[in-house]
Amino acid sequence: MVRSLKKCGELTYLGTGISENSMMHLILIHISKMAVIIVLCLLINTPLTGYAKEPLLAKEYQAKVALIYNFAKFVEWPDDTFSDDKSPLVLGVLGPFAFKDELNKISAKKIGGRPIKIRYFSSMSDYRQCQILCCNLDDFLQFSVNQTHRLEKQHVLTVGDNDGFGKAGGILSLILKDGHLAFKVNIDSARKANLSISANALRLATAIIGKGK
Amino acid sequence: MSYRVRAEKAVVIAVVLLNWFATSAYGQSPPTDLTELSLEQILGLRIINQSTTDVEDRLESSKNRWSLSYRYIQLKFSGHRNGTDDISNNEVLWDGNPLNRTDENFPILTQEIHQQASIFEISSDITDRLSLNIIIPYIAQETKHRSIIPNFERFVIRSEGLGDISVVSTYLLWQKRQHYLMLNTGISLPTGAINEEGDTPAPGANNQLPYTMQLGSGTVEASPGITYFGKSNRMNFGAQVLGTLRMGRNYRGYSLGDRLSVNAWLHPKPFTCFQPSIKIAAQFWEKIDGIDREFRQFQPSFFPAAVADPDKFGGKKVHCLFGMKIRCPRRNLIQHTFEIEGGIPIYQSLNGPQPKEVWRINVSWNWNF
């Protein structure tokens, strides 16, 4: 009975009194409505939480190490800095620098074709020549009392994670600003150390300290 | 509602939730190796702060971070207030003349109350967004009395012991730049005693002490709340609304009133080591519901002391508190924070006569590890 009725397109759904043709029409309308609702939902929801609007989260120390690594790519050291083409770029860490553990993670990488070598100096007396020196402001201030000339002569890119680091004579200061990482460059100190920093990096700095002359 | 409409709604909700989770998760995922990013991309990252130990910053810190803290709180109550009017001790202490007896004077006068609490707290950041705290208070309190009862003209009662232990979770609901919105949910367990006894003018050697001298509430309590934090380079600021809802009456037949506290604070950051703070804290709390079975004998007559009358509880208070947070930026000390805060009520409207608060102070040490 059901089969015969279905053939002629007059299958009656129990209790609804709706013909099969009418039912198909309703289903199509329903699917169309659902599709419109889903598209609207996606359109409304996506801009609120979407990838394009939401910056990526990163831990401070990882981001700072990445910034040091990337910034160093824009720095040109004088020819006499390295003994030969294969000499490593030495990254020194003086004292209890906050993210020295993270720095170890870039030791397998290269900058300008040179391998990176990480050295730790527990105090100023341990200091040996390096091309990048990470230290906190207190240590830098103590160090620079009578060692500034030494750092300049050795063309050392000094890096600190304190806003006052640049004013104290450090070259690269890493700071947090409105939940984002930012950096300042003391261009006078860089010039004294005979370091050339690309304009592509300088244009991203929140502040350039000094006149660069 | 028809099946079709319900199904349609379910699909819509599922799509919205799936999309939200998908986009949120995608937006929150940090890249595995940040050194592969360009300088511009690194500067565009939203940073999870690791270099400070602010309470606020703990919410942004890495997973499985623990913190241990100890807080000492002391409060002093002295004198009485009814509404916003101060009442002298002579008005509250009944003179013994039956013609002068009212429900606002008593044969026993509470002169001074000193409450001290040592609060131990351990907290763990379960995820980047969720932290869980266990709070264990140890309470010691003392009340000095005067009375018109012979041999009890002046007497002191004390109680001391474990208070109500609570478990509190904080969930970071929303964050945009340096603004954070957090959901607080807490539950307090009735671990504090509510049958503390002492030598009072009542007949017998040991008598049930009034509500103010008990160490716990005797009831399970829920503490929902919402907290906002904002940060800038020069200051931190925030506000919090926190409720305390008592679940039923305790076995002695009463429940302390529900409580609502609203706080707002400002922490200027002039120095790295010292961070002053100012806080305005408002509290609203209700009268005691029910009555301790020991004090039922006084109903409907007069109570022997204001602190035994359940109607002489509740009111509104606004405190102004000043504080100082100290932390040393040296690497081996940066995980430790010391804080001292003290203040006075600048407004008290009490269902009285009720002992009025004079001052409060709290000192704390926090260690993140």
Side-chain angles (χ1 to χ4, degrees):
Chain A
M1 178 63 178
V2 169
R3 193 178 297 148
S4 63
L5 282 172
K6 197 174 180 180
K7 272 183 185 171
C8 63
E10 291 294 332
L11 176 61
T12 303
Y13 287 84
L14 268 178
T16 61
I18 302 170
S19 70
E20 189 178 18
N21 285 340
S22 305
M23 193 65 198
M24 286 301 292
H25 181 67
L26 282 175
I27 289 170
L28 282 172
I29 290 173
H30 184 58
I31 289 171
S32 310
K33 274 172 65 183
M34 293 281 280
V36 170
I37 290 168
I38 288 169
V39 168
L40 279 173
C41 287
L42 293 172
L43 284 173
I44 291 166
N45 201 23
T46 301
L48 292 174
T49 55
Y51 179 60
K53 296 271 180 184
E54 187 78 8
L56 292 171
L57 268 176
K59 288 183 180 171
E60 178 188 353
Y61 297 163
Q62 285 179 1
K64 283 183 172 175
V65 168
L67 194 146
I68 294 169
Y69 171 75
N70 274 276
F71 185 86
K73 290 179 180 173
F74 291 94
V75 178
E76 214 173 285
W77 278 266
D79 293 339
D80 63 342
T81 310
F82 302 97
S83 55
D84 59 57
D85 290 345
K86 292 182 181 176
S87 296
L89 187 145
V90 180
L91 195 157
V93 181
L94 175 64
F97 198 61
F99 44 93
K100 68 180 187 182
D101 295 339
E102 289 295 334
L103 283 168
N104 283 331
K105 295 176 185 170
I106 59 165
S107 59
K109 295 185 176 290
K110 289 184 176 180
I111 292 176
R114 296 178 185 279
I116 299 170
K117 187 173 180 179
I118 312 282
R119 272 192 191 152
Y120 295 102
F121 313 121
S122 57
S123 65
M124 288 180 286
S125 56
D126 288 344
Y127 173 76
R128 298 287 179 274
Q129 186 173 358
C130 58
Q131 283 72 54
I132 302 174
L133 179 66
C134 298
C135 56
N136 63 39
L137 181 60
D138 289 348
D139 286 328
F140 179 74
L141 288 171
Q142 287 181 42
F143 195 91
S144 58
V145 169
N146 49 16
Q147 304 275 2
T148 309
H149 183 65
R150 188 176 169 191
L151 293 174
E152 289 170 1
K153 197 176 172 186
Q154 292 178 351
H155 318 301
V156 181
L157 171 66
T158 47
V159 181
D161 64 344
N162 187 295
D163 198 16
F165 189 76
K167 285 179 185 166
I171 297 174
L172 177 63
S173 316
L174 309 180
I175 53 172
L176 285 176
K177 192 178 177 187
D178 297 331
H180 293 270
L181 202 53
F183 66 88
K184 295 179 179 179
V185 176
N186 186 326
I187 199 71
D188 283 347
S189 298
R191 185 186 55 78
K192 285 176 189 167
N194 207 11
L195 296 174
S196 168
I197 302 171
S198 163
N200 286 333
L202 293 177
R203 72 179 171 81
L204 298 172
T206 51
I208 304 288
I209 301 163
K211 295 176 181 174
K213 291 176 185 174
Chain B
M1 193 187 296
S2 74
Y3 170 77
R4 203 180 70 199
V5 174
R6 281 205 301 265
E8 194 174 292
K9 284 195 168 181
V11 169
V12 169
I13 290 166
V15 168
V16 171
L17 286 176
L18 279 171
N19 185 43
W20 187 82
F21 281 122
T23 51
S24 296
Y26 189 39
Q28 298 296 321
S29 302
T32 50
D33 186 0
L34 300 182
T35 57
E36 299 299 322
L37 301 179
S38 69
L39 265 183
E40 286 100 327
Q41 287 172 321
I42 293 166
L43 299 176
L45 294 169
R46 188 149 55 88
I47 300 298
I48 301 169
N49 195 325
Q50 292 178 289
S51 57
T52 63
T53 54
D54 288 352
V55 174
E56 296 92 329
D57 291 339
R58 279 177 40 218
L59 290 149
E60 305 166 63
S61 62
S62 57
K63 285 183 185 179
N64 301 324
R65 190 165 174 183
W66 291 82
S67 127
L68 191 67
S69 71
Y70 169 77
R71 184 179 296 267
Y72 171 81
I73 301 174
Q74 186 169 354
L75 292 89
K76 183 185 175 185
F77 297 77
S78 181
H80 284 75
R81 184 168 277 204
N82 191 356
T84 53
D85 299 326
D86 284 336
I87 305 174
S88 70
N89 285 346
N90 289 337
E91 287 176 275
V92 180
L93 186 64
W94 177 44
D95 61 8
N97 182 348
L99 295 173
N100 295 335
R101 182 74 157 113
T102 69
D103 65 350
E104 292 187 355
N105 59 23
F106 306 89
I108 302 171
L109 169 79
T110 304
Q111 263 193 311
E112 266 182 28
I113 303 175
H114 289 273
Q115 291 183 325
Q116 299 167 62
S118 289
I119 298 170
F120 302 90
E121 184 175 342
I122 185 156
S123 71
S124 173
D125 294 341
I126 308 293
T127 69
D128 284 347
R129 286 179 173 264
L130 179 69
S131 71
L132 201 64
N133 302 2
I134 298 173
I135 301 161
I136 305 167
Y138 186 87
I139 296 166
Q141 45 199 8
E142 178 186 277
T143 306
K144 293 175 182 170
H145 295 89
R146 272 172 58 196
S147 86
I148 60 165
I149 299 154
N151 300 324
F152 283 93
E153 286 80 6
R154 289 183 190 273
F155 67 98
V156 178
I157 53 175
R158 295 182 181 88
S159 62
E160 183 175 343
L162 182 70
D164 289 343
I165 294 174
S166 46
V167 180
V168 179
S169 74
T170 307
Y171 181 75
L172 179 61
L173 273 179
W174 172 87
Q175 178 191 2
K176 189 166 187 182
R177 290 179 176 265
Q178 302 287 72
H179 303 277
Y180 309 81
L181 195 65
M182 279 151 292
L183 180 71
N184 309 99
T185 45
I187 188 156
S188 174
L189 306 171
T191 49
I194 55 167
N195 56 356
E196 286 292 309
E197 295 179 337
D199 191 15
T200 71
N206 280 318
N207 314 106
Q208 174 75 9
L209 294 180
Y211 308 101
T212 45
M213 294 302 288
Q214 299 304 325
L215 303 170
S217 66
T219 52
V220 173
E221 292 155 13
S223 310
I226 197 146
T227 307
Y228 161 77
F229 282 124
K231 298 200 297 187
S232 73
N233 288 339
R234 294 188 176 176
M235 64 181 73
N236 293 348
F237 41 90
Q240 183 183 59
V241 180
L242 200 62
T244 305
L245 307 169
R246 323 276 181 182
M247 304 289 160
R249 291 182 180 177
N250 58 34
Y251 71 90
R252 295 194 66 91
Y254 67 91
S255 81
L256 300 177
D258 291 343
R259 194 174 276 265
L260 178 73
S261 64
V262 182
N263 304 321
W265 61 89
L266 196 67
H267 290 178
K269 296 192 278 192
F271 313 108
T272 313
C273 283
F274 303 100
Q275 197 180 102
S277 68
I278 180 167
K279 186 198 274 182
I280 299 292
Q283 287 184 64
F284 311 84
W285 73 110
E286 295 178 324
K287 293 175 182 176
I288 289 175
D289 178 39
I291 184 167
D292 186 288
R293 63 190 181 207
E294 194 81 9
F295 304 137
R296 272 185 211 138
Q297 56 180 305
F298 302 116
Q299 280 185 321
S301 185
F302 301 123
F303 286 86
V307 287
D309 183 348
D311 287 338
K312 304 288 185 285
F313 285 80
K316 300 183 274 280
K317 273 186 203 176
V318 179
H319 286 86
C320 182
L321 300 134
F322 294 93
M324 177 72 80
K325 187 189 279 186
I326 302 161
R327 73 161 184 251
C328 184
R330 304 295 297 188
R331 183 167 173 76
N332 52 347
L333 291 174
I334 197 165
Q335 293 166 309
H336 300 270
T337 308
F338 301 90
E339 195 169 1
I340 183 163
E341 185 182 63
I344 55 167
I346 52 174
Y347 173 80
Q348 287 189 87
S349 175
L350 308 174
N351 300 327
Q354 187 182 139
K356 64 172 184 179
E357 187 181 326
V358 185
W359 52 258
R360 62 174 58 195
I361 189 165
N362 73 64
V363 182
S364 68
W365 162 74
N366 185 78
W367 175 35
N368 289 304
F369 56 98

PDB file of all heavy atoms in Angstrom, chain A residues 73-93:
ATOM      1  N   LYS A  73      70.579  39.855  13.221  1.00  0.00           N
ATOM      2  CA  LYS A  73      70.716  39.648  11.766  1.00  0.00           C
ATOM      3  C   LYS A  73      70.847  40.985  11.031  1.00  0.00           C
ATOM      4  O   LYS A  73      71.332  41.037   9.899  1.00  0.00           O
ATOM      5  CB  LYS A  73      69.496  38.901  11.226  1.00  0.00           C
ATOM      6  CG  LYS A  73      69.405  37.449  11.662  1.00  0.00           C
ATOM      7  CD  LYS A  73      68.132  36.863  11.064  1.00  0.00           C
ATOM      8  CE  LYS A  73      67.943  35.417  11.437  1.00  0.00           C
ATOM      9  NZ  LYS A  73      66.640  34.915  10.987  1.00  0.00           N
ATOM     10  N   PHE A  74      70.355  42.046  11.680  1.00  0.00           N
ATOM     11  CA  PHE A  74      70.407  43.371  11.047  1.00  0.00           C
ATOM     12  C   PHE A  74      71.645  44.173  11.474  1.00  0.00           C
ATOM     13  O   PHE A  74      71.765  45.341  11.158  1.00  0.00           O
ATOM     14  CB  PHE A  74      69.148  44.171  11.401  1.00  0.00           C
ATOM     15  CG  PHE A  74      67.898  43.632  10.761  1.00  0.00           C
ATOM     16  CD1 PHE A  74      67.081  42.740  11.431  1.00  0.00           C
ATOM     17  CD2 PHE A  74      67.548  44.022   9.470  1.00  0.00           C
ATOM     18  CE1 PHE A  74      65.935  42.245  10.839  1.00  0.00           C
ATOM     19  CE2 PHE A  74      66.394  43.528   8.878  1.00  0.00           C
ATOM     20  CZ  PHE A  74      65.579  42.632   9.567  1.00  0.00           C
ATOM     21  N   VAL A  75      72.506  43.518  12.251  1.00  0.00           N
ATOM     22  CA  VAL A  75      73.693  44.228  12.749  1.00  0.00           C
ATOM     23  C   VAL A  75      74.924  43.768  11.957  1.00  0.00           C
ATOM     24  O   VAL A  75      75.089  42.581  11.688  1.00  0.00           O
ATOM     25  CB  VAL A  75      73.910  43.950  14.262  1.00  0.00           C
ATOM     26  CG1 VAL A  75      75.171  44.639  14.774  1.00  0.00           C
ATOM     27  CG2 VAL A  75      72.699  44.415  15.052  1.00  0.00           C
ATOM     28  N   GLU A  76      75.734  44.738  11.618  1.00  0.00           N
ATOM     29  CA  GLU A  76      76.968  44.414  10.890  1.00  0.00           C
ATOM     30  C   GLU A  76      78.159  44.740  11.793  1.00  0.00           C
ATOM     31  O   GLU A  76      78.290  45.880  12.254  1.00  0.00           O
ATOM     32  CB  GLU A  76      77.029  45.265   9.620  1.00  0.00           C
ATOM     33  CG  GLU A  76      77.689  44.543   8.469  1.00  0.00           C
ATOM     34  CD  GLU A  76      77.566  45.365   7.190  1.00  0.00           C
ATOM     35  OE1 GLU A  76      76.441  45.399   6.617  1.00  0.00           O
ATOM     36  OE2 GLU A  76      78.552  45.992   6.811  1.00  0.00           O
ATOM     37  N   TRP A  77      78.952  43.728  12.073  1.00  0.00           N
ATOM     38  CA  TRP A  77      80.144  43.939  12.900  1.00  0.00           C
ATOM     39  C   TRP A  77      81.328  44.292  12.005  1.00  0.00           C
ATOM     40  O   TRP A  77      81.402  43.825  10.850  1.00  0.00           O
ATOM     41  CB  TRP A  77      80.473  42.670  13.693  1.00  0.00           C
ATOM     42  CG  TRP A  77      79.653  42.521  14.944  1.00  0.00           C
ATOM     43  CD1 TRP A  77      80.009  42.919  16.180  1.00  0.00           C
ATOM     44  CD2 TRP A  77      78.348  41.935  15.081  1.00  0.00           C
ATOM     45  NE1 TRP A  77      79.025  42.627  17.094  1.00  0.00           N
ATOM     46  CE2 TRP A  77      77.990  42.016  16.442  1.00  0.00           C
ATOM     47  CE3 TRP A  77      77.444  41.356  14.185  1.00  0.00           C
ATOM     48  CZ2 TRP A  77      76.777  41.547  16.937  1.00  0.00           C
ATOM     49  CZ3 TRP A  77      76.249  40.883  14.680  1.00  0.00           C
ATOM     50  CH2 TRP A  77      75.911  40.986  16.029  1.00  0.00           C
ATOM     51  N   PRO A  78      82.265  45.080  12.491  1.00  0.00           N
ATOM     52  CA  PRO A  78      83.448  45.417  11.690  1.00  0.00           C
ATOM     53  C   PRO A  78      84.253  44.153  11.346  1.00  0.00           C
ATOM     54  O   PRO A  78      84.167  43.151  12.064  1.00  0.00           O
ATOM     55  CB  PRO A  78      84.260  46.337  12.608  1.00  0.00           C
ATOM     56  CG  PRO A  78      83.323  46.784  13.654  1.00  0.00           C
ATOM     57  CD  PRO A  78      82.289  45.736  13.797  1.00  0.00           C
ATOM     58  N   ASP A  79      85.027  44.227  10.299  1.00  0.00           N
ATOM     59  CA  ASP A  79      85.765  43.049   9.813  1.00  0.00           C
ATOM     60  C   ASP A  79      86.714  42.484  10.858  1.00  0.00           C
ATOM     61  O   ASP A  79      86.924  41.278  10.920  1.00  0.00           O
ATOM     62  CB  ASP A  79      86.550  43.417   8.546  1.00  0.00           C
ATOM     63  CG  ASP A  79      85.600  43.733   7.396  1.00  0.00           C
ATOM     64  OD1 ASP A  79      84.431  43.280   7.478  1.00  0.00           O
ATOM     65  OD2 ASP A  79      86.005  44.430   6.455  1.00  0.00           O
ATOM     66  N   ASP A  80      87.291  43.375  11.675  1.00  0.00           N
ATOM     67  CA  ASP A  80      88.295  42.889  12.631  1.00  0.00           C
ATOM     68  C   ASP A  80      87.681  42.222  13.869  1.00  0.00           C
ATOM     69  O   ASP A  80      88.402  41.796  14.777  1.00  0.00           O
ATOM     70  CB  ASP A  80      89.206  44.037  13.062  1.00  0.00           C
ATOM     71  CG  ASP A  80      88.429  45.116  13.794  1.00  0.00           C
ATOM     72  OD1 ASP A  80      87.193  45.153  13.669  1.00  0.00           O
ATOM     73  OD2 ASP A  80      89.068  45.906  14.527  1.00  0.00           O
ATOM     74  N   THR A  81      86.359  42.108  13.904  1.00  0.00           N
ATOM     75  CA  THR A  81      85.701  41.499  15.071  1.00  0.00           C
ATOM     76  C   THR A  81      85.998  40.007  15.149  1.00  0.00           C
ATOM     77  O   THR A  81      86.218  39.463  16.233  1.00  0.00           O
ATOM     78  CB  THR A  81      84.171  41.717  15.000  1.00  0.00           C
ATOM     79  OG1 THR A  81      83.901  43.080  14.754  1.00  0.00           O
ATOM     80  CG2 THR A  81      83.487  41.275  16.288  1.00  0.00           C
ATOM     81  N   PHE A  82      85.974  39.358  14.015  1.00  0.00           N
ATOM     82  CA  PHE A  82      86.124  37.897  13.976  1.00  0.00           C
ATOM     83  C   PHE A  82      87.499  37.536  13.405  1.00  0.00           C
ATOM     84  O   PHE A  82      87.985  38.191  12.473  1.00  0.00           O
ATOM     85  CB  PHE A  82      85.030  37.270  13.116  1.00  0.00           C
ATOM     86  CG  PHE A  82      83.641  37.606  13.593  1.00  0.00           C
ATOM     87  CD1 PHE A  82      82.920  38.649  13.009  1.00  0.00           C
ATOM     88  CD2 PHE A  82      83.058  36.895  14.626  1.00  0.00           C
ATOM     89  CE1 PHE A  82      81.648  38.971  13.439  1.00  0.00           C
ATOM     90  CE2 PHE A  82      81.773  37.214  15.064  1.00  0.00           C
ATOM     91  CZ  PHE A  82      81.069  38.246  14.473  1.00  0.00           C
ATOM     92  N   SER A  83      88.077  36.498  13.938  1.00  0.00           N
ATOM     93  CA  SER A  83      89.411  36.107  13.470  1.00  0.00           C
ATOM     94  C   SER A  83      89.359  35.501  12.074  1.00  0.00           C
ATOM     95  O   SER A  83      90.292  35.660  11.290  1.00  0.00           O
ATOM     96  CB  SER A  83      90.045  35.126  14.466  1.00  0.00           C
ATOM     97  OG  SER A  83      89.185  34.028  14.653  1.00  0.00           O
ATOM     98  N   ASP A  84      88.298  34.776  11.749  1.00  0.00           N
ATOM     99  CA  ASP A  84      88.147  34.250  10.390  1.00  0.00           C
ATOM    100  C   ASP A  84      86.665  34.094  10.068  1.00  0.00           C
ATOM    101  O   ASP A  84      85.794  34.362  10.911  1.00  0.00           O
ATOM    102  CB  ASP A  84      88.901  32.919  10.219  1.00  0.00           C
ATOM    103  CG  ASP A  84      88.408  31.856  11.176  1.00  0.00           C
ATOM    104  OD1 ASP A  84      87.199  31.550  11.149  1.00  0.00           O
ATOM    105  OD2 ASP A  84      89.210  31.347  11.985  1.00  0.00           O
ATOM    106  N   ASP A  85      86.405  33.614   8.849  1.00  0.00           N
ATOM    107  CA  ASP A  85      85.018  33.522   8.379  1.00  0.00           C
ATOM    108  C   ASP A  85      84.186  32.497   9.150  1.00  0.00           C
ATOM    109  O   ASP A  85      82.956  32.550   9.130  1.00  0.00           O
ATOM    110  CB  ASP A  85      84.992  33.158   6.892  1.00  0.00           C
ATOM    111  CG  ASP A  85      85.500  34.310   6.045  1.00  0.00           C
ATOM    112  OD1 ASP A  85      85.584  35.427   6.598  1.00  0.00           O
ATOM    113  OD2 ASP A  85      85.811  34.092   4.863  1.00  0.00           O
ATOM    114  N   LYS A  86      84.870  31.552   9.784  1.00  0.00           N
ATOM    115  CA  LYS A  86      84.126  30.497  10.478  1.00  0.00           C
ATOM    116  C   LYS A  86      84.025  30.745  11.982  1.00  0.00           C
ATOM    117  O   LYS A  86      83.429  29.938  12.707  1.00  0.00           O
ATOM    118  CB  LYS A  86      84.788  29.146  10.214  1.00  0.00           C
ATOM    119  CG  LYS A  86      84.643  28.716   8.759  1.00  0.00           C
ATOM    120  CD  LYS A  86      85.253  27.351   8.522  1.00  0.00           C
ATOM    121  CE  LYS A  86      85.102  26.971   7.047  1.00  0.00           C
ATOM    122  NZ  LYS A  86      85.766  25.696   6.732  1.00  0.00           N
ATOM    123  N   SER A  87      84.598  31.825  12.442  1.00  0.00           N
ATOM    124  CA  SER A  87      84.541  32.116  13.880  1.00  0.00           C
ATOM    125  C   SER A  87      83.081  32.268  14.322  1.00  0.00           C
ATOM    126  O   SER A  87      82.271  32.870  13.608  1.00  0.00           O
ATOM    127  CB  SER A  87      85.262  33.429  14.186  1.00  0.00           C
ATOM    128  OG  SER A  87      86.616  33.294  13.867  1.00  0.00           O
ATOM    129  N   PRO A  88      82.773  31.715  15.475  1.00  0.00           N
ATOM    130  CA  PRO A  88      81.377  31.830  15.940  1.00  0.00           C
ATOM    131  C   PRO A  88      81.060  33.245  16.426  1.00  0.00           C
ATOM    132  O   PRO A  88      81.961  34.008  16.757  1.00  0.00           O
ATOM    133  CB  PRO A  88      81.319  30.847  17.102  1.00  0.00           C
ATOM    134  CG  PRO A  88      82.709  30.779  17.612  1.00  0.00           C
ATOM    135  CD  PRO A  88      83.615  30.977  16.432  1.00  0.00           C
ATOM    136  N   LEU A  89      79.778  33.524  16.417  1.00  0.00           N
ATOM    137  CA  LEU A  89      79.311  34.774  17.015  1.00  0.00           C
ATOM    138  C   LEU A  89      79.024  34.442  18.482  1.00  0.00           C
ATOM    139  O   LEU A  89      78.186  33.587  18.776  1.00  0.00           O
ATOM    140  CB  LEU A  89      78.051  35.244  16.301  1.00  0.00           C
ATOM    141  CG  LEU A  89      77.542  36.629  16.710  1.00  0.00           C
ATOM    142  CD1 LEU A  89      76.940  37.335  15.485  1.00  0.00           C
ATOM    143  CD2 LEU A  89      76.503  36.554  17.794  1.00  0.00           C
ATOM    144  N   VAL A  90      79.762  35.073  19.354  1.00  0.00           N
ATOM    145  CA  VAL A  90      79.644  34.716  20.774  1.00  0.00           C
ATOM    146  C   VAL A  90      78.612  35.609  21.454  1.00  0.00           C
ATOM    147  O   VAL A  90      78.676  36.838  21.368  1.00  0.00           O
ATOM    148  CB  VAL A  90      81.008  34.849  21.494  1.00  0.00           C
ATOM    149  CG1 VAL A  90      80.861  34.471  22.978  1.00  0.00           C
ATOM    150  CG2 VAL A  90      82.046  33.974  20.819  1.00  0.00           C
ATOM    151  N   LEU A  91      77.666  34.952  22.072  1.00  0.00           N
ATOM    152  CA  LEU A  91      76.624  35.675  22.808  1.00  0.00           C
ATOM    153  C   LEU A  91      76.889  35.448  24.299  1.00  0.00           C
ATOM    154  O   LEU A  91      76.796  34.328  24.791  1.00  0.00           O
ATOM    155  CB  LEU A  91      75.252  35.138  22.400  1.00  0.00           C
ATOM    156  CG  LEU A  91      74.028  35.971  22.781  1.00  0.00           C
ATOM    157  CD1 LEU A  91      72.855  35.633  21.868  1.00  0.00           C
ATOM    158  CD2 LEU A  91      73.613  35.773  24.215  1.00  0.00           C
ATOM    159  N   GLY A  92      77.289  36.498  24.966  1.00  0.00           N
ATOM    160  CA  GLY A  92      77.625  36.372  26.375  1.00  0.00           C
ATOM    161  C   GLY A  92      76.468  36.780  27.273  1.00  0.00           C
ATOM    162  O   GLY A  92      75.674  37.651  26.928  1.00  0.00           O
ATOM    163  N   VAL A  93      76.369  36.112  28.409  1.00  0.00           N
ATOM    164  CA  VAL A  93      75.329  36.439  29.388  1.00  0.00           C
ATOM    165  C   VAL A  93      76.032  36.754  30.708  1.00  0.00           C
ATOM    166  O   VAL A  93      76.719  35.901  31.273  1.00  0.00           O
ATOM    167  CB  VAL A  93      74.343  35.265  29.582  1.00  0.00           C
ATOM    168  CG1 VAL A  93      73.277  35.641  30.581  1.00  0.00           C
ATOM    169  CG2 VAL A  93      73.729  34.862  28.258  1.00  0.00           C
TER     170      VAL A  93
END
